[in-house]
C-alpha cells in the first residue's frame, strides 16, 4: 500500500501530466526543444529514482509486469504522436491533438490501471508497481515526443530553441 506521501506525489504527477501534456495537446501548443524534452526527462528521472528504490524488494513477476507496462505504454506514445497535426506557426511548429489523441490518452491511463489490476489479480502486489508510475508515464511521453520530433524533422518544420512570442 503506497504511503500518504507517495499518494500525494502520484496525484501531483497526474495533475502535472494532465495539464502540461494532455490539455496542451488538445488545445494546441507551440513546440520547442524544451517543451519536447523537459517534461519526459523530469518524469523519467523522478520515476527512475522511485523505481530504483523499489527494485531491491521486487520479484521476477513484478519486473516482468513492469517490462510489459513500459513496452505497451511506449507503443501508445508512438500512436499518440501520429494522431497530432503539426503545422508551422510563429517560427516554430504548432502541435494540435485530435479526438483520437484524447482517446489514446484514455487508453494509456486504462492500460496503466489494468496493469496494476492484473498484477493484483495475479498476486503481484509489491511496491515496484506503484513506484514505477512516473517512470512509465515519462517513458510514454518521451517516446511520443521523440516520434513527434522525428516527424518535425522529416517534414522540415522549424523548431525554435525557445518558446516564440505569440503575435496576436
Amino acid at each position: 500500500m503506497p504511503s500518504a506521501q507517495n499518494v500525494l506525489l502520484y496525484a501531483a504527477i497526474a495533475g502535472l501530466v494532465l495539464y502540461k501534456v494532455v490539455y496542451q495537446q488538445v488545445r494546441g501548443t507551440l513546440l520547442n526543444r524544451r517543451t519536447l524534452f523537459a517534461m519526459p526527462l523530469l518524469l523519467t528521472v523522478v520515476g527512475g529514482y522511485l523505481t530504483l528504490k523499489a527494485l531491491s524488494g521486487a520479484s521476477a513477476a513484478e519486473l516482468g509486469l513492469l517490462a510489459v507496462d513500459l513496452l505497451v505504454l511506449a507503443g501508445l506514445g508512438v500512436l499518440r504522436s501520429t494522431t497530432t497535426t503539426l503545422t508551422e506557426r510563429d517560427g516554430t511548429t504548432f502541435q494540435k491533438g485530435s479526438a483520437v489523441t484524447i482517446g489514446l490518452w484514455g487508453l494509456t491511463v486504462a492500460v496503466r490501471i489494468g496493469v496494476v489490476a492484473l498484477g493484483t489479480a495475479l498476486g503481484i502486489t509489491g511496491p515496484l508497481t506503484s513506484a514505477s508510475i512516473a517512470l512509465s508515464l515519462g517513458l510514454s511521453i518521451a517516446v511520443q515526443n521523440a516520434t513527434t520530433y522525428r516527424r518535425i524533422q522529416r517534414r522540415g518544420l522549424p523548431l525554435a530553441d525557445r518558446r516564440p512570442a505569440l503575435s496576436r
Side-chain angles (χ1 to χ4, degrees):
M1 182 89 174
S3 69
Q5 186 179 26
N6 284 346
V7 170
L8 287 175
L9 176 63
Y10 301 148
I13 289 168
L16 185 64
V17 168
L18 277 173
Y19 172 72
K20 292 294 285 178
V21 180
V22 180
Y23 173 72
Q24 287 186 348
Q25 282 178 14
V26 171
R27 75 171 169 88
T29 190
L30 295 171
L31 299 178
N32 59 49
R33 284 172 180 80
R34 186 180 64 79
T35 59
L36 283 173
F37 298 110
M39 174 64 65
L41 179 64
L42 173 67
L43 285 172
T44 303
V45 167
V46 168
Y49 171 75
L50 294 172
T51 300
L52 283 173
K53 282 179 54 175
L55 273 180
S56 64
S59 67
E62 274 186 287
L63 292 172
L65 199 59
L66 176 60
V68 168
D69 183 38
L70 294 176
L71 285 172
V72 172
L73 292 186
L76 286 169
V78 171
L79 288 176
R80 286 192 313 270
S81 174
T82 64
T83 66
T84 63
T85 58
L86 302 173
T87 55
E88 184 175 345
R89 185 184 294 178
D90 295 327
T92 193
T93 298
F94 181 77
Q95 176 186 27
K96 183 155 178 48
S98 65
V100 177
T101 311
I102 296 168
L104 287 171
W105 268 112
L107 182 59
T108 299
V109 171
V111 165
R112 187 58 166 103
I113 292 169
V115 165
V116 172
L118 176 64
T120 302
L122 296 174
I124 306 168
T125 57
L128 182 62
T129 303
S130 61
S132 62
I133 290 171
L135 177 64
S136 60
L137 283 175
L139 177 69
S140 187
I141 296 167
V143 169
Q144 177 180 349
N145 289 359
T147 304
T148 299
Y149 183 75
R150 184 171 167 227
R151 290 176 59 215
I152 289 167
Q153 289 194 317
R154 277 191 310 187
R155 293 189 48 206
L157 292 167
L159 190 60
D161 286 328
R162 297 186 185 274
R163 180 173 224 106
L166 290 175
S167 55
R168 294 189 183 194

